[in-house]
Amino acid sequence: MGTYKLKNDIKVFKYGNPIETGAVVEEKIKAELENNLDIKFEKGHCKISIKLSSKDMVYGLGGNLGGINKRGRLYESYCIDEPLHIEDRTKLYAAHNFFIISGEKSTGYFIDFPTRIKYDVGYYNENCFNIEICGKDFYLYIIEGKDAKDISNKFLHIIGRSYIPPKWAFGYFQSRWGYRNKEEVKKVYHIFREKDIPLEGIYLDLDYMDDFKDFSISEERFSDLKGFASDLKKDGLYLVPIIDAGVKVEEGYDIYEEGIEGDHFCKDKYGKPYEGVVWPGKVHFPDFMKEETQDWFGSKYKVLTDCGIEGVWNDMNEPAIFYEQEALDEAIQYAEESKGKNLNVFSYFKLKDNFTNLANKDSYYESFYHEIDGKKFSNDEVHNLYGYYMTKSANLGLTKLLRDKRFLLISRASSIGMHRYGGIWTGDNSSWWSHLEQNINMLPSLNMCGFFYIGADTGGFGGNCNGELLTRWLQLSVFTPLLRNHSAVGCNNQEPYVFTEEVLVNSRNLIKARYSLIPYIYSEYMKSVMDYTLMFKPLSFEFGESLAKEIDDQVLLGDQLMIAPVCKPNRRGRYVYFPEKMLEISFLDEDMPTSIKEKGIQYIEYGLEDFKFFIRKNSMIPYVKPSKNVKELDQQNLKVLAYVDDEAVYNLYDDDGQSYDFIEGKNYSTEIKIIKKTDDYEIIVENDNPSIKNISFKIIDSKNNTTHKEISTC
Ligand code: GLC
């Protein structure tokens, strides 16, 4: 075992000979350290057991099911294409191995290991947190800090700054697997414009490809994509096409031919390119662990950037494998042998399971190989790096192609380290109320693991959404950096206009509210990423009361807001826990009525036609008039809604929203200070943002008295 520390006194224990995943960017310094954890090695696996006291909270683990407190559940880190996020699932698309145990004292742990880890967070024995690392080569980071918030900030520092998309990526996006051709996409765009619903862009699912081939564009259905993208862009609209991990095996297909020629594909045990089956039938998987392959694949995004595309989603990169030919043949053979036989329960189950369990078998991942620094590793040994390195490849490629222009990039599979290269959506959820609730639970956990450009498929991907669920989901998603309504082919459409007039009106208002809040959401995003702090926080990160620890359907956004969406059907409101006195605001009402909420639990009326959130004491939020897209947002007349008892300060961050100049300090700040005087407020504004000319204030005090003020910044 080697022991190291990082600059900020984070301890690092090196076991065996770990693969350098690139998750941590800070340098390790040799140091003599002792590890007091209960660690055992058995049959090549490592077992760690940590005692939990009844008061300990366990935070983190990123893209997983379960609440904000991860106790009482089993989890597994092994990225998987899991379309059914049901209660007993232990693993999804992400492998985010950072967690914090917080009670009397708080300690953070990061296991830097590229494949399977199993966690029993007090499931079988409520006082025991048992971890099984399925290997013996890994780094274990131990992070001490004054509390969970401090530890998560320290962790964000050592893994490096998260990906920053362009400002337009904060708009509203419509998506659907099943917009079969340009005309259908155009129709969606026209309806959005006609119905006056803001729209930033449309995601193109695999329907745009020719026979599911990466970097191909169907001549028949999406001819002249360049002209199409350019026409849409004139109206400020972006197209965001998908790219899948598997490359179709087909003689004459350029990507396949180049991949073979350049030796870019993962190998099977005989040293031949490995063949799995995904959308187009047989595919090879690029070996993203090789730098040459990263460069090669990354350069292929040129096909899209040449069409004026500035955003991409990487999919099926766990990688998902529908089946291997041999496994399917065996299943068919068993079925043929079963034909006409009197099958008992076991033979019948075997027959059925042979087909239902055909996808993503563990054995597939054991049977293909990557090359890392000239050495061979099975995919199983580095499994969780696949989506990460595919997205790294895309990021490096797009950075070269688009030079100093930022781009939108999201991936389905991820592990820590990937957060520097792209954002994520939370995969194939369903149009279920429980998945709306899951969405809010996951936000702080994802932030803790470095993922900030995040969002779920609003309305749900699988299953049929209804107007009520879509509206409720939008009431939450208007706060998430990635706001995309996406659904699966075969399910009912769920664009905001396909339901009733009432749903259309409510959705339109909510999406408009999102645009009004973009200056604030963007500012909070950028400050969190630049300062290595969480954008979404559990209540317990700010409030010590025991009740704050039990709430996971309410979260804090920045230091200003608390959000508490309604996650149940047939409700006209919900109970909300106020850990301190706050200001309730009905944002959609023209005069924005407010009401002071005392500390404690209160029932809040929250209808489908509303948009409500809560402003913390001595805080404010800036907003603007809504617009049809980000480009047209007019910050000239900024508005501020403040809840001030004595003094409130807000620093509104802004920049050009498209280049990387902000890194060199080219950004704007508008510092607003509101100080309560005996019967008035003093307002001090220091503004270097030329686009902000006037600021009008609505200030509410703790007795719900309102004061209006207006100042010019010129
Ligand atoms: C995967 C993606 C989903 C996409 C579908 C078709 O299931 O997660 O978002 O629509 O593939 O490409």
Side-chain angles (χ1 to χ4, degrees):
M1 182 179 73
T3 58
Y4 304 80
K5 62 177 192 175
L6 301 184
K7 267 189 277 155
N8 33 21
D9 269 346
I10 294 173
K11 296 181 198 153
V12 191
F13 300 93
K14 178 179 177 180
Y15 292 92
N17 192 13
I19 286 167
E20 299 298 332
T21 65
V24 171
V25 292
E26 211 170 280
E27 230 177 283
K28 301 179 195 70
I29 310 158
K30 265 249 157 251
E32 287 293 311
L33 299 170
E34 231 177 274
N35 189 351
N36 301 322
L37 279 179
D38 174 7
I39 297 191
K40 282 192 206 80
F41 285 87
E42 261 171 40
K43 298 187 190 141
H45 285 198
C46 170
K47 296 196 171 162
I48 304 179
S49 191
I50 305 172
K51 283 248 152 349
L52 292 177
S53 88
S54 62
K55 291 213 173 102
D56 283 337
M57 301 279 291
V58 179
Y59 300 106
L61 293 179
N64 261 305
L65 297 178
I68 290 178
N69 183 359
K70 308 314 282 186
R71 284 185 78 153
R73 248 187 168 278
L74 302 172
Y75 306 90
E76 204 171 323
S77 284
Y78 199 78
C79 301
I80 185 109
D81 173 17
E82 174 50 83
L84 263 191
H85 307 177
I86 52 178
E87 184 132 358
D88 69 351
R89 291 298 185 258
T90 53
K91 52 188 191 292
L92 294 178
Y93 312 85
H96 297 163
N97 297 307
F98 169 65
F99 56 90
I100 302 168
I101 302 177
S102 177
E104 293 272 284
K105 73 188 255 293
S106 299
T107 310
Y109 302 85
F110 172 51
I111 306 168
D112 190 4
F113 179 62
T115 186
R116 197 184 305 271
I117 304 181
K118 297 178 186 174
Y119 299 94
D120 171 348
V121 192
Y123 179 71
Y124 286 116
N125 174 350
E126 61 178 327
N127 304 319
C128 253
F129 184 171
N130 288 320
I131 302 166
E132 180 175 354
I133 303 170
C134 300
K136 51 184 179 24
D137 305 298
F138 58 90
Y139 288 105
L140 171 67
Y141 291 73
I142 299 186
I143 308 163
E144 308 287 351
K146 79 174 183 302
D147 53 27
K149 185 165 97 174
D150 182 39
I151 290 170
S152 59
N153 297 352
K154 281 185 176 171
F155 182 63
L156 291 174
H157 258 104
I158 67 164
I159 56 173
R161 183 165 294 148
S162 299
Y163 155 79
I164 293 182
K167 204 193 231 179
W168 61 262
F170 291 78
Y172 172 87
F173 291 84
Q174 189 58 53
S175 180
R176 178 165 170 85
W177 172 12
Y179 291 149
R180 284 167 302 180
N181 49 43
K182 251 175 14 186
E183 285 59 47
E184 289 194 12
V185 174
K186 228 185 272 174
K187 196 166 152 208
V188 172
Y189 153 66
H190 283 307
I191 303 179
F192 267 85
R193 288 289 183 253
E194 185 192 301
K195 306 270 181 206
D196 184 32
I197 314 171
L199 178 68
E200 201 69 35
I202 300 180
Y203 275 65
L204 298 184
D205 209 318
L206 40 70
D207 316 272
Y208 84 91
M209 292 181 190
D210 174 24
D211 209 9
F212 311 108
K213 285 186 282 197
D214 275 346
F215 308 112
S216 74
I217 299 159
S218 162
E219 253 314 301
E220 196 192 324
R221 288 168 288 108
F222 281 86
S223 62
D224 187 23
L225 185 64
K226 184 174 179 174
F228 185 46
S230 140
D231 286 348
L232 292 178
K233 218 184 253 179
K234 281 185 202 127
D235 195 20
L237 204 93
Y238 293 82
L239 291 177
V240 183
I242 197 167
I243 288 294
D244 287 308
V247 170
K248 183 173 189 196
V249 175
E250 184 183 275
E251 303 276 320
Y253 161 41
D254 54 348
I255 309 296
Y256 164 78
E257 299 279 356
E258 283 178 32
I260 294 285
E261 198 157 309
D263 192 23
H264 290 306
F265 296 126
C266 292
K267 302 282 165 38
D268 65 15
K269 58 181 180 226
Y270 306 108
K272 294 224 191 76
Y274 169 80
E275 243 174 44
V277 174
V278 201
W279 307 116
K282 290 184 179 156
V283 298
H284 292 328
F285 292 108
D287 183 357
F288 290 111
M289 302 310 299
K290 294 205 294 201
E291 261 176 45
E292 316 81 271
T293 304
Q294 283 173 28
D295 287 348
W296 166 70
F297 199 85
S299 73
K300 294 293 135 194
Y301 287 84
K302 184 167 189 298
V303 172
L304 301 174
T305 55
D306 280 351
C307 294
I309 300 294
E310 296 173 42
V312 184
W313 46 315
N314 279 345
D315 193 21
M316 307 298 274
N317 50 3
E318 293 71 28
I321 302 175
F322 293 167
Y323 62 88
E324 274 183 5
Q325 194 58 51
E326 214 178 61
L328 179 65
D329 289 346
E330 275 169 24
I332 293 174
Q333 193 183 341
Y334 187 80
E336 280 169 355
E337 284 162 13
S338 308
K339 198 170 172 194
K341 280 199 186 144
N342 178 9
L343 302 179
N344 71 9
V345 57
F346 301 112
S347 328
Y348 166 66
F349 276 14
K350 181 165 190 257
L351 171 68
K352 175 174 72 69
D353 292 347
N354 274 346
F355 290 95
T356 46
N357 297 343
L358 207 51
N360 311 315
K361 276 175 184 275
D362 287 350
S363 62
Y364 302 165
Y365 301 108
E366 286 156 11
S367 66
F368 67 95
Y369 297 86
H370 296 271
E371 200 185 298
I372 306 175
D373 299 330
K375 279 204 228 123
K376 209 166 119 180
F377 289 87
S378 73
N379 175 270
D380 182 57
E381 290 172 288
V382 291
H383 182 76
N384 294 333
L385 300 182
Y386 197 78
Y388 165 7
Y389 278 75
M390 175 182 183
T391 303
K392 179 176 178 185
S393 148
N395 179 301
L396 300 180
L398 289 167
T399 305
K400 272 193 203 144
L401 291 162
L402 296 169
R403 287 182 297 272
D404 55 0
K405 226 185 208 179
R406 290 185 235 163
F407 45 81
L408 189 166
L409 177 59
I410 54 173
S411 167
R412 194 173 69 175
S414 65
S415 58
I416 294 177
M418 201 209 90
H419 68 286
R420 300 195 299 276
Y421 300 104
I424 50 176
W425 84 101
T426 55
D428 296 349
N429 61 1
S430 299
S431 299
W432 297 343
W433 289 93
S434 59
H435 284 183
L436 165 56
E437 193 161 350
Q438 188 62 58
N439 188 181
I440 188 164
N441 295 163
M442 226 189 250
L443 296 172
S445 314
L446 286 172
N447 274 187
M448 286 176 217
C449 295
F451 291 88
F452 284 77
Y453 190 64
I454 49 175
D457 285 348
T458 294
F461 172 73
N464 294 326
C465 185
N466 67 11
E468 184 189 2
L469 180 58
L470 179 69
T471 312
R472 289 300 189 195
W473 213 312
L474 280 170
Q475 287 172 338
L476 167 64
S477 295
V478 289
F479 292 111
T480 61
L482 163 65
L483 167 54
R484 177 179 83 151
N485 172 334
H486 179 54
S487 61
V489 69
C491 303
N492 291 349
N493 275 61
Q494 63 186 42
E495 296 80 5
Y497 50 75
V498 301
F499 303 98
T500 59
E501 183 60 23
E502 197 187 332
V503 175
L504 164 69
V505 171
N506 292 340
S507 310
R508 177 202 292 138
N509 289 342
L510 286 163
I511 298 169
K512 284 192 171 179
R514 158 65 165 227
Y515 277 82
S516 286
L517 289 170
I518 283 181
Y520 169 69
I521 293 173
Y522 185 66
S523 168
E524 286 308 303
Y525 184 93
M526 292 300 288
K527 287 190 294 183
S528 304
V529 171
M530 301 301 279
D531 300 343
Y532 305 97
T533 55
L534 301 182
M535 181 171 173
F536 295 103
K537 274 177 291 187
L539 299 190
S540 53
F541 273 37
E542 294 293 338
F543 303 100
E545 285 189 7
S546 50
L547 209 50
K549 298 189 177 157
E550 301 210 347
I551 306 284
D552 42 24
D553 60 351
Q554 298 174 212
V555 294
L556 299 168
L557 165 51
D559 288 329
Q560 298 73 35
L561 300 190
M562 180 173 81
I563 53 186
V566 173
C567 299
K568 299 259 186 299
N570 306 317
R571 297 285 159 94
R572 289 293 307 165
R574 58 164 286 175
Y575 284 96
V576 175
Y577 167 62
F578 293 94
E580 63 177 5
K581 204 167 171 179
M582 288 189 189
L583 181 75
E584 174 191 336
I585 151 115
S586 299
F587 195 75
L588 291 182
D589 245 287
E590 207 157 312
D591 37 279
M592 294 198 182
T594 55
S595 122
I596 301 288
K597 297 290 158 202
E598 295 297 331
K599 183 175 157 106
I601 297 175
Q602 299 193 43
Y603 185 81
I604 301 298
E605 305 248 334
Y606 190 170
L608 293 166
E609 65 293 351
D610 287 334
F611 176 44
K612 291 200 174 179
F613 51 88
F614 309 94
I615 302 187
R616 292 181 64 188
K617 202 165 69 184
N618 291 328
S619 302
M620 66 185 99
I621 54 149
Y623 62 98
V624 291
K625 253 196 1 241
S627 62
K628 68 172 191 191
N629 56 33
V630 168
K631 202 163 87 192
E632 296 200 1
L633 274 180
D634 174 14
Q635 301 209 105
Q636 264 203 31
N637 297 301
L638 190 75
K639 295 171 202 221
V640 168
L641 183 71
Y643 171 34
V644 185
D645 245 7
D646 35 68
E647 187 177 315
V649 184
Y650 186 72
N651 193 346
L652 177 67
Y653 171 98
D654 197 14
D655 56 29
D656 67 17
Q658 49 182 359
S659 76
Y660 293 100
D661 291 352
F662 65 91
I663 299 172
E664 269 99 56
K666 285 198 189 137
N667 51 55
Y668 309 118
S669 126
T670 308
E671 194 180 270
I672 306 169
K673 197 183 238 180
I674 308 175
I675 308 161
K676 176 126 178 104
K677 302 280 165 183
T678 325
D679 344 275
D680 197 9
Y681 291 96
E682 185 190 351
I683 297 176
I684 305 164
V685 175
E686 278 180 39
N687 175 44
D688 64 13
N689 188 340
S691 62
I692 298 175
K693 307 275 189 243
N694 295 297
I695 310 181
S696 54
F697 292 84
K698 178 172 174 172
I699 309 168
I700 289 111
D701 69 11
S702 54
K703 298 200 179 68
N704 210 18
N705 297 319
T706 307
T707 308
H708 291 277
K709 286 203 160 232
E710 192 143 347
I711 62 165
S712 154
T713 60
C714 309

